[in-house]
Amino acid sequence: MLELIHFNILSVLLFSVGLYGVLARKSAILIIMAIELMLNAVNINFIAAAAFKHGGGLFTNFDGHILTIFIITIAAAEVGLALALILRIFRNKSTVNVDQFDMMKL
Amino acid sequence: MNMHLVIFSVISAVLISCALGVVISRNIVHSALFLLFALISVAGIYLVLLTEFLAIVQLLIYGGAIVIVILFALMLTRNEEYPRIQNNKLWPIAGILSVLVLITLSVSYFQSDVIRNASTTISPAGVKSLGSSLFTTWAIPFELASLVLLVALIGAIVIARSDKGGN
Amino acid sequence: MAVDCEAMNDFYNIMAFAIIALPLITSLGFMVVPNLASRTCWLISSIVSLVTFGISVLLFVSYDTMIGGTQFGFTVPWLSQGINITFGLGLTGISASMVLLNGIVLLGACLISTDIETRGRDFYVLLLALGGGVFGVFLSSDLFFFFLFYELAVLPMYLLIAVWGSSTNFGSFNRSKEYGAMKLMMVLVAASVLIWIGIIAIYVETYMNGTPTFVFDELRILSESGLFSSGFQNWVFLCFMIGFGVLSGLWPFHTWSPDGHVAAPTGVSMLHAGVLMKLGAFGIIQIGIVILPLGAQTWMPLLMVLGIVNVIYGAVSAMSQTDLKYIIGYSSVSHMGYVLIGAATLNSIGLSGAVLQMFSHGIMTALMFVLVGAIYHRAHTRDIYVLNGLIKTMPHICVLFIIAGFASLGLPGLSGFIAEFLIFLGVIKISLWIAALAVLGAALTAVYILRLIARTIVGPVDPKLENLPDANKYEKIVSVAFASILIAVGVWPALLLDSINVGISSIMSVL
Amino acid sequence: MIEGSNNLLLLTPEFVLAGLALLVFTADLIIPEGKKEWVGRIAVVGLIGLLFVTASTVMGITQPVYNNFLLVDHYSFVFKMIFITVGIITILMSEEFVKTNLTSQGEYYGLVLLAILGMNILVQSQEFLTAYISLELLSFCLYVLVGYSKFNPKSNEAAIKYIIFGTFSSAILLYGLSMVYSVVGSTLYSDIAQVLSTSGFMDPVAMLGITFIMIGIAFKLGIVPFHSWIPDVYEGAPIPVTAYLAIGAKIAAFAFLARVVIGVMLPAEELWSSWKIIFAILAISTMVIGNGIAIVQTKVKRMLAYSSIGHSGVLLSGIVVFGSTNGIVLESLGYYLVGYAVTSFAVFSAITAVTYNNNIELIKDFAGLSDEKPLLSASIAIGLFSLAGLPLFVGFTIKFYLFSSISIGGYLWLAGIAVLASLVSLYYYLIMIKSMYVDVPEQERAHADITVRWPMWIVIILSILMTIALGIYPDPLVNQLNEISDLLK
């Protein structure tokens, strides 16, 4: 039987992979991709909770789904903005590696 | 074996391996493609959860827009570094930290009575009720989200537009 | 008659407020008005300080020693919500003489600062802020404003020293003015952290009791009713003792003081050694002992021992110095030791000796700094091995220097004698040994003062120093006035002791 | 579920603000190049009008709006007024900078306005999704503003760092929210608080979820150990934007944190009693590390960035006593924030004026400023003395007030550490002051080409006056703020 916890564990796995990506990678674009993975983990959690617990307790509507729609929207906007910035950096500096942004040390 | 569980397991396996591909691959273009597959698998998960509308949204926005934008950015910033993207020097610590988060969170889910006692039936979400809820109960966040998009639009134009000046 | 009496009180209240507000408002005014010449600022500041001096005399004279207690007091709510702070002023027997002291020294400091040319305006902005802050400390009748003015008095010191001060360069011994200023500021503010913690701890205690207050008189009543347990009093008094002690040069936290004195310009040195160091002793006596009598009794032996170390250590250090200003700086440390010992006796004779010593040392050390400043201004050196036979070239300065020196070593007929004598009397009641050591300290003072006089003032004239001019008219006025105050108090101590004794007797009632 | 139209009237300030932002964007299309400062002036006039609109529509009203998603109350009213004022000052002090340094000048002002809208909704939200989206609205505006001098690689870099950290912290916050949601089934603060306060309820998922939410907010606020982005972003951003980040965004994030703590954690007493300790530890480490690292900085902006981290620590220590004292602490925090804002404006506006047409960034480059520009250096010096907590200035009173209320709550030791931390801050502020007043400049007349125009004079003189006035006579302000402490009673 499929249970809520299966989805939770899937989401945890995805979240951890994304977290690893954010912390371990250097390229700004890759970090943004990893953050997208984390946000997807969030969405899975939300939808699973809404789907399994719908109708019980305080769950009287589609909050989880709605939250997901909003998160997807914001994520899309965020990626657009971030990539515009990356483009700008590339034009100014010809690199997209976060650790080569080293002008601002002590 | 429950049919649902099998489908779920297969999609999850694809999802996690693609996700790992995103963060491990040395070639950034491969990473982007892995991301595309991962996001499509997430849409599959939504289907398992009987949420067709969100699955479509996921495909359209994530698969159709976000990944395309990322690939677009990769093309525009074509860079000889891309096929040999390096990891941070601290990547082992990042790995340990992620595994710790993974273990802590999994244990907490298994320990939680509320999660384990959840119902086992999946209730479908109708598009109609979703829509009416979005435009009544959640109208204020909806309006705000439109402003967020406006800001992102203006911001992207301001930042990326190449006009006079520069060094 | 009653109406008249009230009207009179209103007048004094306004005067008490004006003596604080006038320097501060003038200071702000200088900041706002553009393009003021140094000379104009000097003139305005001198007039303002003359007015504050007048008010301080008025307040001192009008303080009714027959009634005693807190006079000319008024309170207005300042923060009506929340932690509920009131702004209040009041004059006690002790603060009356301290206000007078500050009035005198501030006037002197303004008058002799004629040589400030660079950024004169900023100098007077800070000097008047300092003076106003000190008046505030002596006059405020609640802990919050006491502390506010206390910090305000410390704040301008950094810039006053760092911008207008002078560095010491003796070849082997270098101290830059920035170093002196930074050390002074950090040490004093660090000490005020302790005071702050003490004040807040007292407030929390009253808050828990349901009667939150910062007002001295209310705290005193609460203290008498036994609100503060002896354990509480012990640790809070220790905070106060060290915090205030640092400002009055308590050993081993005194090192900021000589460095600061030396680096500061003359007018600032006068205020600093003459008044600012007294704030610390004033805090111990007026707040520490009154609000926390049990704590005071616990820690007084320690304070007395530290005070005697101050006396001896300061004197020995002064003996080994060759820089005139360092000698006076260390002698201040030594003399403040007497004040601390006097406070530590906790008997009325010792305490009034301590307060009188504060006044007398304030005038005396200010006078010495005027004279040393004048010498340095002309000879461009303060090295006692270089300066010789000054009495031939600068008779006026030297004669007054000798008077100040004699006051410092406690010659009868000058104010220092009365003060130290009272302190010795107070100490003898506690311990003969400490008294003996204190007298030894006085003997050591005589050694370095006489050595100083013998080296620099008398003796053959150095040809290089032959053509130096004597004091200018402002230096003459100020130094003669200060010296006559020293003599006047020495001859007629009751002038001050009347009001001091009134203040002390109200302190004695809590012990 | 929508209640009567009366409810919508309570959102008038927000609608007006959104309309004003759109008006400003439109005006930008009409006003020709070279006169773009009029876009900013329209925004300022509009914001001043908005102050009156806000005061006349929502003052003194306490009423939930829109299914309890938003709460119009005195707390949000006070913060709205603060944000609008911060916006006005920021625009005024930006004018000359924007004109000389940036392209796309018109949009700049619109983004500042939309950021205020984000802050306004953030402080009145009672529901996590609304809060999240308004936080994103605020953050998006700031991402763009930080990267606004787009031909300056430092600014680009700061913006990309900020957006990565911002998105990452949002992801963490959202994951925490999703965990809480899986347990509670609602995103309303009140629902979550109701479930958490059930006696003996210690669900591990909910607890971890709250932790993740707090980590997310801690990132936004720059609490140690999540502070590493602050110095880089503050340094790279155009300086008026740095001021906006350090003042507006920080106050908004803090107001949000306080709202979440009051709404979600305080009702759950068991939960709060353990979180208190965590907050105290975080507060101490933030104060110590922020002020400690600031000592060794050689660049002005980085020094101010670390000092602002230190101030976050002080604010956090105020949160520790929530619940253990009556509302005084909230009032003193409000006073602290207002005082911090005017003081920081005194510093930032003068530094903006000094730096906008030359690339001064080191502390030693300020040598000799006091000779050439006495009022600018006086403004910086007064601001820094006030930030260090010295009297006559508002910095002394706010610190005394806040630390007293922390001590009343039983945390005298925490207040003691906070006082020591401000002692450390005095040291590095004095280094800056020494540079301006004592040090000899390397070249003669290094600051000769600084010209300051009237909008900047208004800001500088107003902030100096307020720094002194609020320190000497705080009663009216504190009376206003007193009502917000009802939230904690």
Side-chain angles (χ1 to χ4, degrees), chain C residues 24 28 31 77-85 119 121-122 129 143-145 147-153 155 158-159 162-163 177-178 181-182 185-186 189-190 192-193 196-197 199-201 203-204 207-208 214 235, chain D residues 325-326 328 331 370-371 374 382 385 389-393 396-397 399-401 403-405 407-408 410 412 415-416 419-420 422-424 426-427 430-431 433-434 436-439 468 471-475 478-479 482:
Chain C
L24 293 181
L28 278 179
M31 267 164 71
W78 183 69
L79 256 187
S80 47
Q81 301 286 340
I83 63 174
N84 194 4
I85 299 171
R119 284 193 240 167
R121 178 170 72 163
D122 298 349
L143 276 175
F144 174 80
F145 278 95
F147 187 64
L148 186 147
F149 286 121
Y150 180 89
E151 293 258 297
L152 179 60
L155 166 70
Y158 177 79
L159 285 174
V163 178
K177 55 186 183 177
E178 291 91 347
M182 183 66 98
M185 187 79 179
M186 293 313 290
V189 178
S192 72
V193 169
W196 187 332
I197 291 173
I199 290 176
I200 292 188
Y203 178 73
V204 171
Y207 182 87
M208 294 302 169
F214 282 112
W235 78 263
Chain D
T325 167
N326 61 27
I328 291 179
E331 167 190 327
S370 64
D371 282 331
I382 288 174
F385 274 133
L390 289 173
L392 265 207
F393 309 124
F396 174 80
T397 331
K399 283 196 173 167
F400 194 94
Y401 201 172
F403 297 158
S404 300
S405 45
S407 312
I408 291 170
L412 182 61
V419 181
L420 280 176
S422 62
L423 172 68
V424 174
L426 176 64
Y427 177 76
L430 281 182
I431 292 178
I433 290 169
K434 169 174 165 284
M436 292 187 303
Y437 280 89
V438 185
D439 289 352
I468 295 173
I472 295 176
Y473 187 52
D475 206 32
V478 175
N479 275 337
N482 185 251

Side-chain angles (χ1 to χ4, degrees), chain D residues 24-353:
Chain D
V24 164
F25 283 129
T26 319
D28 177 39
L29 299 177
I30 299 164
I31 292 174
E33 205 66 39
K35 291 192 186 245
K36 292 289 189 191
E37 67 265 27
W38 285 100
V39 181
R41 287 174 192 167
I42 291 173
V44 168
V45 172
L47 283 177
I48 292 172
L50 186 62
L51 279 176
F52 292 105
V53 171
T54 312
S56 61
T57 49
V58 296
M59 191 172 169
I61 293 175
T62 303
Q63 201 175 327
V65 189
Y66 247 86
N67 319 315
N68 293 323
F69 281 14
L70 302 175
L71 176 65
V72 173
D73 62 356
H74 200 75
Y75 181 84
S76 58
F77 166 71
V78 165
F79 278 103
K80 274 184 211 173
M81 299 299 269
I82 294 176
F83 295 143
I84 295 169
T85 318
V86 167
I88 294 172
I89 299 176
T90 308
I91 291 176
L92 281 178
M93 72 184 259
S94 305
E95 191 178 294
E96 198 62 25
F97 185 91
V98 171
K99 204 170 180 186
T100 45
N101 290 21
L102 303 180
T103 53
S104 313
Q105 297 170 12
E107 288 89 344
Y108 179 95
Y109 302 109
L111 290 171
V112 171
L113 292 182
L114 285 177
I116 300 173
L117 181 59
M119 297 177 197
N120 277 359
I121 308 251
L122 186 62
V123 289
Q124 47 188 342
S125 52
Q126 290 291 301
E127 193 269 340
F128 270 114
L129 182 71
T130 317
Y132 166 69
I133 293 182
S134 49
L135 189 61
E136 289 298 319
L137 178 56
L138 168 62
S139 304
F140 269 57
C141 294
L142 294 175
Y143 299 152
V144 181
L145 289 172
V146 167
Y148 220 91
S149 60
K150 60 183 179 182
F151 299 113
N152 177 359
K154 272 190 179 176
S155 173
N156 302 150
E157 189 181 325
I160 195 74
K161 267 188 181 152
Y162 191 27
I163 199 168
I164 285 175
F165 270 100
T167 324
F168 178 55
S169 57
S170 293
I172 293 176
L173 189 150
L174 284 173
Y175 198 78
L177 181 58
S178 77
M179 291 169 85
V180 172
Y181 179 77
S182 338
V183 174
V184 177
S186 167
T187 49
L188 282 167
Y189 297 171
S190 54
D191 290 348
I192 298 172
Q194 193 194 333
V195 173
L196 289 179
S197 58
T198 316
S199 64
F201 183 87
M202 278 288 172
D203 188 90
V205 174
M207 297 301 127
L208 273 177
I210 295 283
T211 313
F212 272 52
I213 291 176
M214 285 299 144
I215 292 177
I217 301 177
F219 258 115
K220 307 272 181 202
L221 197 55
I223 302 291
V224 172
F226 311 108
H227 65 289
S228 53
W229 60 274
I230 290 211
D232 289 346
V233 172
Y234 279 25
E235 191 197 339
I239 180 128
V241 178
T242 310
Y244 201 43
L245 279 171
I247 302 165
K250 185 180 286 277
I251 296 177
F254 180 78
F256 173 48
L257 175 63
R259 257 257 140 95
V260 172
V261 168
I262 293 170
V264 176
M265 290 179 147
L266 269 190
E269 278 169 23
E270 287 172 52
L271 179 73
W272 178 235
S273 59
S274 48
W275 266 95
K276 256 184 181 178
I277 301 162
I278 298 174
F279 271 117
I281 295 167
L282 289 178
I284 292 169
S285 54
T286 308
M287 288 187 284
V288 169
I289 291 178
N291 287 314
I293 300 183
I295 291 179
V296 295
Q297 299 303 318
T298 53
K299 292 179 177 172
V300 176
K301 276 182 177 173
R302 285 184 90 84
M303 186 267 277
L304 289 173
Y306 280 108
S307 117
S308 113
I309 295 174
H311 281 278
S312 304
V314 176
L315 291 170
L316 205 58
S317 55
I319 289 194
V320 173
V321 286
F322 277 13
S324 46
T325 167
N326 61 27
I328 291 179
V329 70
L330 201 55
E331 167 190 327
S332 56
L333 278 171
Y335 182 33
Y336 191 97
L337 288 172
V338 175
Y340 170 76
V342 291
T343 307
S344 303
F345 271 124
V347 177
F348 273 110
S349 54
I351 291 181
T352 308

Side-chain angles (χ1 to χ4, degrees), chain C residues 478-489:
Chain C
V478 170
S479 52
V480 168
F482 279 28
S484 23
I485 294 170
L486 287 180
I487 296 168
V489 174

Side-chain angles (χ1 to χ4, degrees), chain C residues 119-332:
Chain C
R119 284 193 240 167
R121 178 170 72 163
D122 298 349
F123 179 83
Y124 294 105
V125 165
L126 295 166
L127 194 72
L128 288 177
L130 173 62
V134 174
F135 278 126
V137 173
F138 290 138
L139 279 167
S140 48
S141 68
D142 79 49
L143 276 175
F144 174 80
F145 278 95
F146 176 86
F147 187 64
L148 186 147
F149 286 121
Y150 180 89
E151 293 258 297
L152 179 60
V154 173
L155 166 70
M157 291 303 286
Y158 177 79
L159 285 174
L160 280 172
I161 296 177
V163 178
W164 294 276
S166 54
S167 305
T168 308
N169 189 349
F170 265 29
S172 58
F173 181 78
N174 288 310
R175 283 286 158 85
S176 74
K177 55 186 183 177
E178 291 91 347
Y179 170 83
M182 183 66 98
K183 186 172 177 181
L184 176 141
M185 187 79 179
M186 293 313 290
V187 172
L188 291 189
V189 178
S192 72
V193 169
L194 285 174
I195 301 170
W196 187 332
I197 291 173
I199 290 176
I200 292 188
I202 289 178
Y203 178 73
V204 171
E205 207 69 7
T206 60
Y207 182 87
M208 294 302 169
N209 187 44
T211 50
T213 181
F214 282 112
V215 181
F216 288 155
D217 287 343
E218 291 173 23
L219 286 171
R220 180 177 167 162
I221 293 165
L222 286 171
S223 172
E224 277 166 3
S225 72
L227 173 65
F228 307 121
S229 69
S230 71
F232 175 82
Q233 295 206 11
N234 283 346
W235 78 263
V236 175
F237 188 82
L238 186 64
C239 283
F240 279 164
M241 189 176 98
I242 296 175
F244 287 127
V246 169
L247 187 52
S248 47
L250 180 70
W251 186 87
F253 308 108
H254 65 281
T255 56
W256 61 272
S257 153
D259 286 339
H261 284 63
V262 173
T266 305
V268 179
S269 292
M270 287 169 71
L271 274 170
H272 177 195
V275 188
L276 212 59
M277 285 179 86
K278 276 64 191 176
L279 296 186
F282 179 78
I284 292 181
I285 294 174
Q286 192 79 326
I287 298 178
I289 297 179
V290 172
I291 300 177
L292 306 162
L294 296 177
Q297 274 153 7
T298 312
W299 291 109
M300 277 317 173
L302 176 66
L303 184 61
M304 188 168 287
V305 172
L306 289 178
I308 202 77
V309 174
N310 252 35
V311 170
I312 307 281
Y313 179 90
V316 172
S317 304
M319 283 160 70
S320 62
Q321 296 297 328
T322 58
D323 183 320
L324 270 177
K325 266 194 162 180
Y326 266 107
I327 294 177
I328 303 174
Y330 277 108
S331 97
S332 283

